[in-house]
Amino acid sequence: MSRSDQPTTAEDEESILREYVLDVRIVEERPPDGGSRYRFEAPHHEGITFDEPELAELYADVYFDVNGFQEAGTGDRGVPPEIIQAGQDTLAAYFLTQPGIDENWVASFYGIKNTKVERYASWVRTRAEEVREGARERGME
């Protein structure tokens, strides 16, 4: 699982894979040479692309869990302050979206079992859905 550093080209076909409230979405990019990449887009957020749709969706969940964040300016190894302040479960989920990091790495980092890492990610997904539902109820689509 990884992020992709390949830029979008004019020849890429695109379609919306998932659309969320507040103009947040995941776009599937299909380059002419085959395969797919998944770009997370949000207002005031530098787009980021993933090789797997599940990672893009987890990234979106982290984004909603902390009510948005910016990675620009955090450096190659930095973590946005909003994520650090949100707690261990949100940070663990964010780590899972980073290149070269998987459940084993996160479990080792925290000294926990993989099942707890999975639980952390599920808590973030649940809270993110609650945030999106609350936005929909308030007509913020």
Side-chain angles (χ1 to χ4, degrees):
M1 292 192 224
S2 66
R3 288 186 182 187
S4 176
D5 294 330
Q6 297 174 333
T8 302
T9 65
E11 297 85 34
D12 288 356
E13 289 185 31
E14 296 185 349
S15 62
I16 296 174
L17 176 70
R18 182 124 190 237
E19 201 159 15
Y20 300 97
V21 296
L22 305 172
D23 296 324
V24 175
R25 65 187 187 165
I26 298 171
V27 176
E28 181 179 4
E29 303 172 350
R30 290 176 305 283
D33 60 354
S36 290
R37 295 184 306 263
Y38 305 89
R39 186 177 66 243
F40 170 84
E41 296 180 345
H44 314 293
H45 187 283
E46 193 174 286
I48 187 160
T49 306
F50 298 89
D51 293 334
E52 294 89 16
E54 297 83 13
L55 283 181
E57 290 171 348
L58 180 58
Y59 189 89
D61 290 338
V62 170
Y63 183 85
F64 280 104
D65 185 35
V66 298
N67 293 313
F69 63 89
Q70 292 269 348
E71 283 190 296
T74 59
D76 290 337
R77 296 175 49 106
V79 175
E82 298 89 346
I83 292 171
I84 291 174
Q85 295 170 0
Q88 187 169 327
D89 56 344
T90 302
L91 183 58
Y94 176 78
F95 279 155
L96 290 172
T97 70
Q98 302 305 296
I101 295 180
D102 61 11
E103 285 182 2
N104 293 323
W105 187 96
V106 175
S108 175
F109 179 81
Y110 282 119
I112 59 176
K113 296 186 183 290
N114 286 25
T115 54
K116 191 159 190 177
V117 174
E118 293 168 8
R119 205 168 339 151
Y120 282 169
S122 74
W123 293 344
V124 169
R125 287 183 178 106
T126 298
R127 283 196 309 270
E129 185 52 41
E130 289 169 358
V131 168
R132 290 188 291 261
E133 183 61 32
R136 282 189 287 272
E137 288 173 1
R138 290 174 182 79
M140 301 173 72
E141 297 196 47

